[in-house]
Amino acid sequence: MNETFNYLRANGIYSLEDLEHRVSEHSAATESLKKTLDEQTARMKAIKQIYDSSAAFQSLKPVYDGLQKIKFEKPRAKYKAEHEAELKQFYAARRKLTGEFPDGKVDMGKLSKEYDTLEQEHETTYAEFKTVREDLQRLWKVKSNIDTAVRFNQRTAEQKLQNQPKIRHKKEDMTR
């Protein structure tokens, strides 16, 4: 109890309205930070996929080049059939890379820097998210305790009213 009161006093929460306001502020901040974290994670995942696509492109380029060297239709169709899976992977990797680099110049250094920057921002954002979330959980605990106390006081007041002896007036007694 003492710890809770000290926490409320230290954070300038002196009324139920202050507590409600602080809970809503922290909830909004938590949602905003979570959205930012999700966006950063999605972009980092996309960069990793581009790395994978680049590696697949490099490893499967000789298969594609082999197809391009064949000029006649029948040998070309036979080669395509033999290397169908590799060519599908190559085309998918090429689509992914041209989607990210429309000019055709793949700059993995740029992606690496972007990934490192995102990783640092993600760590910073997560640390902030973690602190706000912990504070929010504490506020919810305090709010829950206060709600429980309010309900207890209401029940106690209702029980007192029910337990009071009923006073009969003389007129009521006469009619009976």
Side-chain angles (χ1 to χ4, degrees), residues 9-174:
R9 195 175 307 128
N11 287 292
I13 301 172
Y14 298 108
S15 68
L16 192 56
E17 290 80 25
D18 293 342
L19 179 64
E20 298 271 343
H21 181 70
R22 183 67 61 96
V23 166
S24 66
E25 279 181 348
H26 276 56
S27 293
T30 302
E31 289 301 316
S32 171
L33 289 170
K34 184 164 179 11
K35 184 178 178 185
T36 303
L37 286 170
D38 290 344
E39 290 169 357
Q40 291 169 340
T41 303
R43 181 60 184 156
M44 288 191 305
K45 188 176 179 180
I47 290 173
K48 284 182 181 179
Q49 288 176 345
I50 293 170
Y51 281 141
D52 295 342
S53 295
S54 177
F57 181 86
Q58 294 300 323
S59 68
L60 298 172
K61 182 93 165 94
V63 175
Y64 176 75
D65 290 341
L67 177 66
Q68 296 305 312
K69 289 179 185 175
I70 301 172
K71 302 292 181 197
F72 298 107
E73 183 113 5
K74 285 188 178 182
R76 188 175 175 91
K78 182 181 176 191
Y79 187 85
K80 268 186 170 179
E82 290 173 357
H83 300 284
E84 184 178 358
E86 292 102 333
L87 288 170
K88 280 185 179 181
Q89 286 178 327
F90 175 81
Y91 293 137
R94 186 171 69 177
R95 271 193 309 276
K96 188 83 164 169
L97 291 173
T98 54
E100 186 68 30
F101 301 104
D103 60 355
K105 297 178 183 175
V106 177
D107 188 2
M108 296 310 280
K110 175 184 161 189
L111 283 178
S112 180
K113 286 178 186 175
E114 182 183 356
Y115 187 85
D116 292 342
T117 304
L118 278 171
E119 200 170 38
Q120 289 175 350
E121 289 174 0
H122 188 271
E123 287 175 13
T124 305
T125 306
Y126 184 71
E128 185 180 348
F129 171 78
K130 193 175 173 183
T131 351
V132 172
R133 185 186 63 194
E134 287 171 356
D135 200 33
L136 179 62
Q137 288 172 342
R138 189 166 185 174
L139 286 169
W140 280 336
K141 195 176 204 178
V142 168
K143 188 174 180 324
S144 172
N145 290 340
I146 289 173
D147 289 343
T148 302
V150 167
R151 280 194 305 272
F152 178 77
N153 285 342
Q154 287 174 345
R155 271 191 255 135
T156 306
E158 288 172 4
Q159 287 174 352
K160 283 182 183 177
L161 285 175
Q162 288 176 355
N163 292 337
Q164 281 182 347
K166 294 188 178 181
I167 302 172
R168 292 188 173 180
H169 297 287
K170 288 185 178 181
K171 283 187 178 181
E172 288 179 14
D173 289 338
M174 292 173 76

Side-chain angles (χ1 to χ4, degrees), residues 1-14 138:
M1 261 324 227
N2 203 12
E3 184 181 325
T4 302
F5 288 125
N6 289 335
Y7 172 78
L8 292 172
R9 195 175 307 128
N11 287 292
I13 301 172
Y14 298 108
R138 189 166 185 174

